[in-house]
Amino acid sequence: MSRYVIEALDTISEWDDNDTSNKARRLRSSILDIEFVISLFVLNKGFSIGLPLSKFLQKPNIDLKLAVQLANDTQKELQEIRTHADDVFKEIFEEVNVVAEKFDIEIKIPRLTKKQTNRCNIPLNTPEQYYRASIFIPYLDKFITELEERFNVHRSILSGFDSLFRENGPIEDIIILSNKYIEDLQNDGSQNQIIEAEYKLWQRKLMQTTEKPNNAVEAMAMCNQLIYPNIFKLLQILVTLPVSSATNERTFSNLKRIKTYPCQRED
């Protein structure tokens, strides 16, 4: 929190304009609320962990395998924090205490009642325990759940393609995957036998390769399309599978600069 923001709001709250000064006072009061301060520090902790994944999903060229791996790592890290929530929040609460002393914010438990429906009403002994249970843990649980739901479909898709990166993967996995994309592969009436033989040769190539491919693009680079046409096609499908809609959204945002309202009227 910046003291300059608070000082600016203090100045604005003294203006003659009643509407503006009242808004400034309300905003200052909200910013200096202890729940808001704790929420800021909790968000900072969570967003710092999710930042690499967020940046990766904004890239125009996203590999599904790497995206799912990064999402899994992010989720595991959040689950680790959730497991040690007491220790992690203790560090956060110490930082909150420093800010509270700086801006003279009272740290206390809100008034509890027998029945409360609009906010947390957990009967705990200390403010640290209360805000850990009412803000920190629910935020982590929500974050983990959202990651699970967001990438659950991608994990199921990748589970079949993952066999293309395993040296000793079962034949059944590649057969199921090839049957799913049978219309895109070469088919001469003996598809399963061809895929099985081609997959075994591909596995031998992976065994002989010192630098294993980490993603579909690297695997495509080492896959000879003439020797492994079906494997190459499956890798090509994996490369082109969409992970996020960031590129599409960015395209429409840029379109607004070209297709303006005056241009539409001229059309």
Side-chain angles (χ1 to χ4, degrees):
M1 293 178 61
S2 175
R3 64 182 179 88
Y4 300 108
V5 175
I6 304 301
E7 291 175 357
L9 291 174
D10 288 336
T11 302
I12 296 173
S13 63
E14 297 176 357
W15 287 2
D16 295 333
D17 187 347
N18 291 331
D19 184 51
T20 303
S21 60
N22 288 334
K23 288 181 179 179
R25 280 191 288 269
R26 289 196 298 268
L27 180 57
R28 183 185 185 279
S29 177
S30 299
I31 291 176
L32 295 181
D33 182 75
I34 187 59
E35 290 191 16
F36 179 81
V37 176
I38 293 175
S39 298
L40 279 182
F41 279 90
V42 170
L43 286 173
N44 181 61
K45 183 68 175 180
F47 286 172
S48 62
I49 297 173
L51 182 61
L53 178 62
S54 178
K55 287 184 176 180
F56 185 78
L57 294 177
Q58 296 296 322
K59 294 174 59 178
N61 300 320
I62 306 176
D63 185 272
L64 179 62
K65 182 177 175 63
L66 290 180
V68 172
Q69 287 177 348
L70 184 55
N72 290 338
D73 292 341
T74 303
Q75 186 174 347
K76 289 178 181 178
E77 183 62 26
L78 290 170
Q79 289 171 341
E80 182 72 15
I81 294 176
R82 177 65 174 84
T83 304
H84 302 90
D86 293 356
D87 297 332
V88 176
F89 187 74
K90 184 177 181 180
E91 297 177 0
I92 295 176
F93 201 72
E94 290 175 355
E95 297 177 3
V96 171
N97 279 321
V98 174
V99 174
E101 292 178 3
K102 180 179 179 181
F103 293 99
D104 195 22
I105 304 173
E106 183 181 3
I107 302 178
K108 63 179 182 178
I109 300 176
R111 182 175 61 87
L112 302 179
T113 60
K114 293 183 179 180
K115 184 178 180 181
Q116 178 63 259
T117 59
N118 295 323
R119 63 174 171 81
C120 183
N121 198 46
I122 305 174
L124 294 172
N125 298 325
T126 65
E128 180 180 342
Q129 294 175 346
Y130 175 82
Y131 290 114
R132 182 180 64 241
S134 62
I135 297 178
F136 186 57
I137 292 178
Y139 169 75
L140 289 176
D141 291 340
K142 180 65 174 178
F143 202 160
I144 293 171
T145 302
E146 289 293 332
L147 279 177
E148 179 67 27
E149 293 178 354
R150 171 65 176 80
F151 289 93
N152 189 43
V153 176
H154 293 309
R155 290 191 185 98
S156 62
I157 294 174
L158 186 62
S159 61
F161 285 101
D162 197 48
S163 60
L164 299 174
F165 299 88
R166 296 200 300 264
E167 300 174 359
N168 300 310
I171 298 296
E172 292 77 11
D173 290 349
I174 195 67
I175 296 299
I176 294 173
L177 179 63
S178 62
N179 289 335
K180 185 176 182 179
Y181 297 98
I182 189 67
E183 296 181 357
D184 300 307
L185 304 179
Q186 296 181 2
N187 188 3
D188 61 354
S190 56
Q191 181 67 23
N192 289 346
Q193 290 82 355
I194 294 176
I195 287 290
E196 181 177 345
E198 192 174 315
Y199 182 58
K200 289 181 178 179
L201 292 175
W202 173 248
Q203 286 181 316
R204 288 189 176 276
K205 181 175 179 61
L206 291 177
M207 293 179 187
Q208 298 168 3
T209 304
T210 55
E211 296 183 2
K212 310 300 181 184
N214 296 317
N215 53 64
V217 176
E218 293 180 3
M220 279 187 65
M222 62 177 290
C223 181
N224 191 317
Q225 187 175 2
L226 296 177
I227 302 175
Y228 317 100
N230 293 299
I231 299 296
F232 185 87
K233 177 59 69 173
L234 290 173
L235 289 171
Q236 196 174 47
I237 293 173
L238 177 58
V239 168
T240 56
L241 284 175
V243 181
S244 71
S245 59
T247 302
N248 299 333
E249 294 171 2
R250 195 177 293 115
T251 300
F252 282 104
S253 297
N254 292 332
L255 184 62
K256 293 180 181 179
R257 302 175 183 176
I258 303 173
K259 196 68 173 178
T260 59
Y261 179 72
C263 291
Q264 292 178 355
R265 294 191 63 182
E266 291 176 3
D267 293 343

